[in-house]
Amino acid sequence: MKQQVRLRRRKIQGPLSGLRVIVTGKGGVGKTTFTALLAGELKQRGLSVLAIDADPQEDLAYSLGFSPAEIVPVTMNRAYLEEKVGSGGIINLNPDLSDIVTRCGTRRADGIGLLVMGTVDSAGGGCLCPENTIIRSIARQVRVKDGEAILMDTPAGLEHFGRGLGRGFSHLIAVSEPTAQALRTACRTAELAGELGIQNRLLVINKIRNEEEFQRSREILGDTDLFAEVFRLPYDERLTRQKELTALTAGEESPLTEAIGGIATLLIKKERE
Ligand SMILES: Nc1ncnc2c1ncn2[C@@H]1O[C@H](COP(=O)(O)OP(=O)(O)O)[C@@H](O)[C@H]1O
Ligand SMILES: [Mg+2]
């Protein structure tokens, strides 16, 4: 069994110019969990992974196995904000953030990198404060290198699209639970992503406990053309217990591994098209 997994993974390796993936969906559906699993899968396939946590709740660090104490969110890095955007009267609305990953990011020994954006006062959603200016610029300015994947975990809901967070990304993964409300939010994020020019949109219906739940979700979706493909992830008790998730699917053959592997394969294939 183990050998099969290794063979499958080796087959899809090869040159890749880079992958920019944004993960969206309603709160609690499993965005952060999925982002960490995908980060682990892409890492195992030989890609360098940079995860960006754009959710003010900052959960991604735990799921990737970072110690949150070692991480300073960008919006808390006053010296960086001041240098790039300025403070007081004059604000640079177009800061050069090409050094943001090296200056504000953290890297694990195995190479998975993390950039935590931090909190922006929601009362200032449209304001010109340095935090917002940085966040608006981040997604566009973080360059993806050859053989690298950038995975961005986002806050629940849709507001971040208003800030243009997904601009420049080529793949959207909308995560949902098998409920009408969560599926509606996933569809809405896919529509907005389409408006931002994100071409490859995938839906992941998470926490599926049985075939009936999946079929019901397909019925709710109808014959939408919002998504290039619909994936399912099983409900897996281990995900609720384990903190560090990046190695969970390594070297095992399970419905969860199959699903994450299938998504990674499709992302790589679409990126090469
Ligand atoms: N496939 C799954 N099976 C079981 N529990 C899951 C699964 N995916 C996520 N969870 C659990 O659901 C909860 C919410 O997941 P999380 O990734 O934090 O959601 P989000 O980032 O969308 O708010 C967590 O307790 C997580 O462990
Ligand atoms: Mg989350």
Side-chain angles (χ1 to χ4, degrees):
M1 276 301 194
K2 274 196 168 171
Q3 204 180 359
Q4 260 181 18
V5 175
R6 249 182 269 128
L7 278 177
R8 179 168 58 80
R9 289 201 164 111
R10 196 181 304 142
K11 231 176 19 199
I12 56 92
Q13 283 183 8
L16 185 78
S17 59
L19 205 58
R20 290 169 69 94
V21 184
I22 182 166
V23 180
T24 60
K26 193 174 166 297
V29 295
K31 295 180 293 299
T32 301
T33 303
F34 172 78
T35 305
L37 291 170
L38 185 63
E41 177 70 25
L42 293 172
K43 180 80 217 156
Q44 284 166 51
R45 291 177 185 225
L47 291 181
S48 156
V49 176
L50 171 68
I52 302 181
D53 192 353
D55 187 345
Q57 288 187 353
E58 296 170 22
D59 292 336
L60 189 58
Y62 290 100
S63 304
L64 290 173
F66 285 87
S67 151
E70 63 189 87
I71 291 160
V72 180
V74 177
T75 54
M76 295 289 283
N77 190 334
R78 302 312 311 177
Y80 190 78
L81 291 184
E82 204 157 302
E83 178 189 323
K84 296 294 175 178
V85 188
S87 60
I90 300 168
I91 276 185
N92 179 3
L93 292 177
N94 235 332
D96 171 10
L97 304 180
S98 49
D99 59 357
I100 195 164
V101 179
T102 45
R103 298 263 307 269
C104 304
T106 318
R107 227 165 245 287
R108 262 168 45 162
D110 70 356
I112 292 185
L114 174 66
L115 184 66
V116 176
M117 295 189 13
T119 317
V120 177
D121 183 359
S122 60
C127 83
L128 298 178
C129 60
E131 290 88 337
N132 246 334
T133 305
I134 290 265
I135 285 183
R136 255 198 305 267
S137 312
I138 264 179
R140 267 182 293 122
Q141 292 209 22
V142 175
R143 297 264 172 270
V144 60
K145 301 185 204 99
D146 286 356
E148 185 180 46
I150 293 181
L151 308 181
M152 184 184 274
D153 185 17
T154 64
L158 309 164
E159 191 209 324
H160 45 285
F161 277 108
R163 298 201 303 251
L165 203 56
R167 211 177 288 283
F169 279 69
S170 35
H171 309 272
L172 170 98
I173 297 185
V175 181
S176 181
E177 286 173 349
T179 64
Q181 209 191 359
L183 287 163
R184 237 189 338 265
T185 303
C187 289
R188 187 71 192 119
T189 65
E191 277 167 15
L192 293 170
E195 286 166 21
L196 285 182
I198 302 178
Q199 296 295 331
N200 181 34
R201 301 180 298 270
L202 310 177
L203 174 64
V204 172
I205 309 179
N206 188 23
K207 306 189 192 181
I208 297 279
R209 289 174 191 265
N210 52 54
E211 188 58 31
E212 197 193 338
E213 267 187 348
F214 184 64
Q215 289 312 329
R216 215 178 320 123
S217 300
R218 298 294 315 227
E219 279 165 29
I220 291 169
L221 285 169
D223 56 359
T224 172
D225 59 358
L226 278 171
F227 302 103
E229 194 118 10
V230 178
F231 289 90
R232 58 198 278 177
L233 280 191
Y235 185 89
D236 190 321
E237 194 61 44
R238 293 174 301 170
L239 295 175
T240 63
R241 289 197 305 264
Q242 195 159 321
K243 256 168 64 183
E244 211 269 77
L245 301 176
T246 53
L248 193 76
T249 61
E252 66 152 31
E253 200 66 69
S254 72
L256 187 68
T257 315
E258 280 295 311
I260 298 287
I263 294 163
T265 300
L266 185 67
L267 285 172
I268 290 166
K269 179 171 161 262
K270 290 267 181 192
E271 185 62 37
R272 284 183 175 146
E273 273 170 6

